[in-house]
C-alpha cells in the first residue's frame, strides 16, 4: 500500500479501467481474506488502553506506537478532538470492555488549524441547514490537547481518569511530544 499523497499504481489502474478506489479496496480485502485466520480474540484490548487520534492519513498509529492487532481501541475523528461521540466510545471502551488508560494523539500541521467555525456557516449557506456539530477548530495544538485531556478527566461517564495523557505527533519526524496539563 502506498504511503504517498498520490494514488498507488493499483488505485490508478482501477480508476483508469472504470473501477473505483472502493473497488480496489474490496479486491484487496478479498486477497486478505483468502489467507485470513481467526486470531481468536475478543473485543477487549490486550493493553487496556484506548487511543484517541486525528483521522489524518499521515498517522499510522499502530506502527508509530508499536501496537499489534488487539492491543488497543482506536477512536479517530477530525483533529482527535474529544467530542460527545468520543466520550460515548470511551465510556463503552471502559465500562464494557475493560480499558483503563486513555492516550490522546493530536499532530502538527492539522487541517483544523486552518478552519474556523465559519465552516459551519458556509455549510448552512450551501445546503440550507446548519450542522448540529461544532467544527472544533483550533490555533494552538498544545492547548487543544490540554482541552481534550480536561474533557476526558471531567466526564462523569468515565470510570478511569488517572491515566489520561496527551501528545502531539510530529508528522515530519514521527516523534511524540507529551503535553502536560496546565
Amino acid at each position: 500500500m502506498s504511503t504517498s499523497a498520490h494514488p498507488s499504481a493499483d488505485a490508478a489502474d482501477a480508476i483508469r479501467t472504470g473501477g473505483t478506489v472502493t473497488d480496489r479496496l474490496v479486491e484487496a480485502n478479498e486477497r486478505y481474506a483468502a489467507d485470513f485466520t481467526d486470531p481468536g480474540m475478543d473485543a477487549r484490548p490486550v493493553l487496556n488502553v484506548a487511543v484517541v487520534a486525528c483521522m489524518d492519513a499521515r498517522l499510522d498509529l499502530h506502527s508509530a506506537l508499536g501496537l499489534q492487532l488487539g492491543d488497543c481501541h482506536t477512536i479517530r475523528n477530525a483533529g482527535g478532538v474529544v467530542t460527545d461521540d468520543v466520550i460515548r466510545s470511551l465510556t463503552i471502551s471502559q465500562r464494557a470492555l475493560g480499558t483503563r488508560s486513555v492516550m490522546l494523539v493530536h499532530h502538527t500541521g492539522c487541517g483544523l488549524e486552518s478552519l474556523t467555525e465559519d465552516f459551519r456557516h458556509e455549510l448552512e449557506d450551501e445546503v440550507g441547514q446548519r450542522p448540529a456539530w461544532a467544527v472544533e477548530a483550533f490555533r494552538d495544538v498544545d492547548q487543544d490537547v490540554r482541552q481534550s485531556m480536561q474533557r476526558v478527566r471531567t466526564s462523569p461517564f468515565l470510570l478511569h481518569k488517572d491515566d489520561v495523557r496527551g501528545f502531539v505527533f510530529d508528522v515530519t519526524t514521527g516523534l511524540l511530544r507529551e503535553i502536560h496539563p496546565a
Side-chain angles (χ1 to χ4, degrees):
M1 183 167 223
S2 175
T3 58
S4 73
H6 304 288
S8 68
D10 289 342
D13 287 345
I15 293 167
R16 269 195 302 278
T17 60
T20 66
V21 172
T22 302
D23 292 333
R24 179 186 149 268
L25 298 176
V26 170
E27 290 169 10
N29 173 257
E30 290 169 358
R31 290 188 299 276
Y32 171 80
D35 296 324
F36 183 79
T37 55
D38 180 355
M41 300 175 181
D42 68 11
R44 293 176 179 273
V46 173
L47 299 178
N48 297 325
V49 64
V51 178
V52 178
C54 185
M55 66 185 191
D56 192 295
R58 297 171 290 180
L59 276 66
D60 181 354
L61 289 173
H62 276 73
S63 292
L65 302 176
L67 296 168
Q68 300 297 316
L69 181 67
D71 281 348
C72 73
H73 285 158
T74 306
I75 304 162
R76 295 181 80 157
N77 67 17
V81 177
V82 175
T83 60
D84 286 346
D85 195 58
V86 168
I87 293 294
R88 172 189 158 272
S89 294
L90 287 172
T91 301
I92 293 166
S93 178
Q94 286 190 358
R95 291 179 176 265
L97 298 166
T99 60
R100 299 185 64 84
S101 299
V102 178
M103 182 177 190
L104 305 170
V105 181
H106 287 38
H107 65 92
T108 58
C110 185
L112 284 185
E113 291 175 299
S114 63
L115 288 177
T116 67
E117 291 299 319
D118 287 340
F119 183 77
R120 292 176 69 222
H121 300 292
E122 293 163 6
L123 283 172
E124 181 178 19
D125 291 344
E126 180 182 329
V127 303
Q129 180 178 342
R130 183 180 230 167
W133 39 263
V135 174
E136 297 277 357
F138 55 87
R139 296 279 179 242
D140 181 339
V141 67
D142 291 17
Q143 183 55 34
D144 201 63
V145 171
R146 286 185 193 97
Q147 176 176 294
S148 291
M149 285 190 288
Q150 185 65 16
R151 286 179 177 173
V152 170
R153 288 188 173 123
T154 59
S155 172
F157 307 109
L158 298 174
L159 296 172
H160 306 289
K161 304 178 215 180
D162 55 324
D163 189 13
V164 177
R165 293 172 63 188
F167 299 84
V168 174
F169 177 87
D170 187 315
V171 297
T172 61
T173 66
L175 289 172
L176 289 174
R177 178 173 49 84
E178 187 159 8
I179 304 300
H180 298 286

